[in-house]
Amino acid sequence: MNSFLEVRNLNLSLKAGMPILRSVSLNVAAGQVHGLVGESGAGKSMIGKAVLGTLPRALQVTSGEIWLDGVNLNSLPTAERRKTIGAKAALIPQDPLTALNPSKRIGPQITRRLVDILGWQKSDAEARAVELLHEVHIPDPARVMKSYPHELSGGMRQRILIASAFAAEPKLIIADEPTTALDVTVQKQILRLIAEMQQRHDTALLFVTHDLGVVSKTCDTLSVLYAGKVIEEARMRRFFTRPIHPYSAALLKATPTYTNPRGSLTPVPQSVIDATEREVREHDMRASR
Amino acid sequence: MMYEIRDLKLSFPDISRKPLLGPVPRIEVLKGLSFDVPKGVVLGIVGGSGSGKSTLGRAMLRLLEPTGGTIRFDGQDITHTPEEHLRAVRQRFQMIFQDPMSSLNPRRRVGAIISGPLRLHGMTDLRSRVNEALDMVGLPRNFATRYPHELSGGQRQRVGIARAIALRPEFILADEIVSGLDVSSQAQVLNLLEELVRDLGLTLAFVSHDLSVIRRLCDRTLVLHHGMIVEEGATAALFDAPQTAYTQELLAAIPLPDPDQPWR
């Protein structure tokens, strides 16, 4: 299976020296959905940011490679790297309200990327935007193009960001907690929409989430992160039926389910946390040698 | 009965639709709710965003004044009680907030945060009460000298709980208190809350959008939609056989961590 995105031994640290990602490797094949799960601070969003080249200034890649569509991104000069990423990858962000500019109409916010970065004609870009809004099931796209973000609901705004992410026909989408800010009923619609768009456009999808329920509905494969280290990589069904790492198993038991109220919500035992911490320290010792 | 609520209505002025002349139109958030909360019960209040669940909670604590209907707390009508008379009752109902980072003063130490309401209600012997509250939520006593930013999310939420129970209230409103936490700390905080309810004989209203958490914690559940009660009943029964289309839709929308759940 050919990987569209390949991350090899990525190490990322604060400029002060604290490690954020520890030798992270992962593959996402064309047209596949790969989940990144972990608790807050595990570094799952940072992988997406490293791929898109949008890491905060305080972080630096200390070693490792990121290959996108057979090209080693680190080998490219900055301008060309940005162009490659811009043409091949796109982000669906978490919070639809902060991701949209409140003082600009929706239309220009979708077309900007096409016009400014990819050099499209304005009229072509606008026609494409309307077509995309249709595709994400937004009623009356022409009116929505002229609306401001505050005039639309959270679900509508998230649909617009999905349309915008798919605008330039990228082959990799990074979705960073795309439904965390939404209601369950809206979440379901949005997850369905992302799956539908991903299949229709045959894109690879890197799906960052802390919600194991969402993972089980969206992903083909997944990586579990703890303290910036991948502690388990699995195919989706195997992970939920036979998790290998004790921390993964504990995480599954801690997740509440309404169908099994007594058997869920067991806190992650301290012994499991200690053992996982030890594993991370051992990795650091090996790496510093 | 801890609470008897009849035909509760609450509306806010909607400034965004104000005409140039004439009165501001009002937006009705609660449209006539009636229900009882028996003593010692854990009541779950669920609904989507904008359903009015937080507004209902705040009205029950009289942080908001209803525009219609009545709220009786332990037999006493508190619907329109003025603030100065409310203070005596306030000690008996307390609140735990959603986001501990914004509900704990970053410039005060944990000890001062917990003792603040105690001092306000004229209590003495503050240090031992603070220690007792910290013991009950399972935090070491020396945490009293720490600042909120030095704590993890789960620990901060425990401080919020300690502040609420230090007054020994009879009723606590917990508004989305675990939605910002990771599953591992979420499980700990919920187990703690369950223990406290049992040990202190509390009545608890637990506002949440997460039906799985409600199922685990609550005896009774009330489903809100557009400011109206669509369903109310014993939790187990409501989950096993939801009566209304809205509750069924809510349940069906929850992604369970189970690849075999029919969901699409």
Side-chain angles (χ1 to χ4, degrees):
Chain A
M1 205 159 52
N2 254 338
S3 302
F4 186 80
L5 168 70
E6 193 177 346
V7 176
R8 294 183 191 162
N9 267 317
L10 185 68
N11 280 289
L12 188 70
S13 65
L14 277 177
K15 287 199 170 133
M18 183 186 172
I20 302 295
L21 293 180
R22 298 169 148 105
S23 310
V24 168
S25 295
L26 58 94
N27 293 300
V28 190
Q32 291 282 300
V33 185
H34 186 80
L36 283 178
V37 296
E39 309 226 282
S40 46
K44 48 193 191 304
S45 288
M46 291 304 142
I47 296 176
K49 286 186 197 281
V51 173
L52 292 172
T54 53
L55 284 171
R57 272 169 206 276
L59 296 185
Q60 59 183 6
V61 174
T62 46
S63 67
E65 293 171 358
I66 298 171
W67 291 69
L68 193 61
D69 199 11
V71 179
N72 181 357
L73 291 179
N74 313 47
S75 71
L76 301 176
T78 311
E80 203 172 323
R81 184 171 67 230
R82 283 189 182 159
K83 216 176 235 172
T84 308
I85 296 171
K88 293 184 174 170
L91 173 77
I92 302 175
Q94 171 171 6
D95 181 353
L97 198 51
T98 50
L100 289 167
N101 185 336
S103 65
K104 286 205 165 123
R105 294 177 197 275
I106 296 297
Q109 299 200 49
I110 304 177
T111 54
R112 208 199 84 136
R113 177 190 176 81
L114 299 172
V115 175
D116 291 2
I117 302 173
L118 300 168
W120 287 36
Q121 290 293 320
K122 200 172 162 229
S123 55
D124 292 347
E126 272 170 8
R128 172 80 176 135
V130 170
E131 187 187 313
L132 279 161
L133 292 180
H134 259 301
E135 226 183 295
V136 296
H137 313 300
I138 284 185
D140 200 358
R143 185 185 56 83
V144 170
M145 289 280 281
K146 293 200 197 81
S147 307
Y148 287 97
H150 76 265
E151 298 174 291
L152 306 167
S153 70
M156 286 275 269
R157 287 193 287 253
Q158 196 54 284
R159 281 169 196 276
I160 285 160
L161 289 169
I162 292 168
S164 178
F166 280 91
E169 290 291 348
K171 285 293 155 203
L172 171 70
I173 296 272
I174 295 174
D176 191 353
E177 305 261 12
T179 57
T180 308
L182 305 172
D183 270 352
V184 279
T185 43
V186 182
Q187 162 170 284
K188 186 171 180 176
Q189 296 163 10
I190 295 293
L191 291 177
R192 271 182 179 162
L193 176 67
I194 293 175
E196 180 191 322
M197 293 289 280
Q198 180 263 334
Q199 278 156 22
R200 186 182 309 145
H201 295 262
D202 196 29
T203 44
L205 176 61
L206 189 62
F207 200 105
V208 178
T209 179
H210 68 279
D211 188 330
L212 290 171
V214 168
V215 170
S216 80
K217 302 293 167 277
T218 49
C219 300
D220 304 309
T221 52
L222 71 140
S223 304
V224 185
L225 283 157
Y226 182 89
K229 187 175 180 299
V230 176
I231 55 162
E232 180 159 0
E233 223 189 322
R235 296 198 63 78
M236 194 271 289
R237 181 166 295 274
R238 202 275 286 149
F239 177 80
F240 284 99
T241 47
R242 283 172 290 123
I244 289 174
H245 199 282
Y247 180 78
S248 312
L251 217 49
L252 277 171
K253 281 210 187 97
T255 307
T257 56
Y258 69 86
T259 44
N260 181 15
R262 289 294 136 195
S264 62
L265 261 174
T266 314
V268 177
Q270 194 58 40
S271 59
V272 173
I273 295 174
D274 292 343
T276 316
E277 286 286 344
R278 225 168 15 247
E279 209 176 298
V280 170
R281 276 201 305 278
E282 278 162 18
H283 169 271
D284 285 355
M285 290 198 3
R286 274 199 308 279
S288 65
R289 240 185 264 143
Chain B
M1 284 295 162
M2 196 84 261
Y3 271 102
E4 288 156 277
I5 292 172
R6 293 292 170 269
D7 197 30
L8 179 66
K9 285 187 180 134
L10 206 148
S11 61
F12 295 113
D14 185 0
I15 307 288
S16 69
R17 288 193 296 127
K18 187 194 178 323
L20 190 57
L21 297 169
V24 184
R26 296 185 76 88
I27 185 162
E28 253 204 329
V29 181
L30 303 178
K31 301 168 184 166
L33 310 182
S34 301
F35 62 96
D36 292 334
V37 188
K39 280 184 182 163
V41 149
V42 179
L43 173 74
I45 302 175
V46 281
S49 52
S51 61
K53 54 190 193 301
S54 287
T55 306
L56 169 61
R58 279 161 198 264
M60 285 167 77
L61 296 199
R62 272 302 317 278
L63 295 171
L64 294 169
E65 190 174 344
T67 36
T70 54
I71 303 176
R72 299 178 83 84
F73 174 76
D74 201 12
Q76 183 185 346
D77 187 340
I78 58 164
T79 323
H80 302 287
T81 311
E83 195 56 40
E84 59 268 29
H85 297 300
L86 262 181
R87 181 152 294 174
V89 201
R90 287 220 185 279
Q91 191 185 333
R92 300 172 62 194
F93 47 69
Q94 286 292 306
M95 178 164 180
I96 312 168
F97 297 86
Q98 172 169 11
D99 177 10
M101 213 41 198
S102 60
S103 59
L104 303 177
N105 188 337
R107 292 168 57 177
R108 306 188 82 184
R109 293 173 201 270
V110 167
I113 289 171
I114 298 174
S115 62
L118 297 172
R119 193 171 289 132
L120 202 65
H121 285 286
M123 294 193 181
T124 52
D125 207 9
L126 297 182
R127 178 177 294 244
S128 70
R129 283 178 195 268
V130 168
N131 283 340
E132 188 190 33
L134 286 171
D135 289 347
M136 281 196 284
V137 297
L139 289 176
R141 290 184 174 185
N142 62 18
F143 268 44
T145 59
R146 298 208 190 176
Y147 287 99
H149 74 263
E150 297 175 272
L151 312 179
S152 72
Q155 288 169 341
R156 270 181 223 138
Q157 205 49 290
R158 282 166 194 262
V159 173
I161 297 174
R163 173 173 60 185
I165 59 170
L167 279 165
R168 290 305 178 104
E170 293 151 57
F171 175 81
I172 287 185
L173 169 71
D175 191 356
E176 296 276 12
I177 62 165
V178 292
S179 53
L181 301 179
D182 283 325
V183 282
S184 57
S185 16
Q186 174 176 308
Q188 288 175 2
V189 168
L190 290 172
N191 288 345
L192 168 69
L193 203 56
E194 198 172 39
E195 251 169 57
L196 289 172
V197 165
R198 198 177 48 226
D199 296 350
L200 303 177
L202 287 169
T203 308
L204 179 74
F206 189 88
V207 176
S208 179
H209 67 278
D210 189 334
L211 285 146
S212 290
V213 169
I214 296 266
R215 173 70 183 94
R216 168 61 206 271
L217 192 70
C218 303
D219 309 315
R220 294 186 70 76
T221 301
L222 188 156
V223 184
L224 276 185
H225 187 46
H226 293 322
M228 284 178 287
I229 296 176
V230 293
E231 197 161 347
E232 200 227 335
T235 304
L238 188 138
F239 276 73
D240 291 344
Q243 297 301 309
T244 62
Y246 181 71
T247 313
Q248 286 162 7
E249 190 191 327
L250 264 188
L251 278 172
I254 297 172
L256 294 170
D258 169 8
D260 294 321
Q261 177 200 13
W263 197 68
R264 285 264 155 100

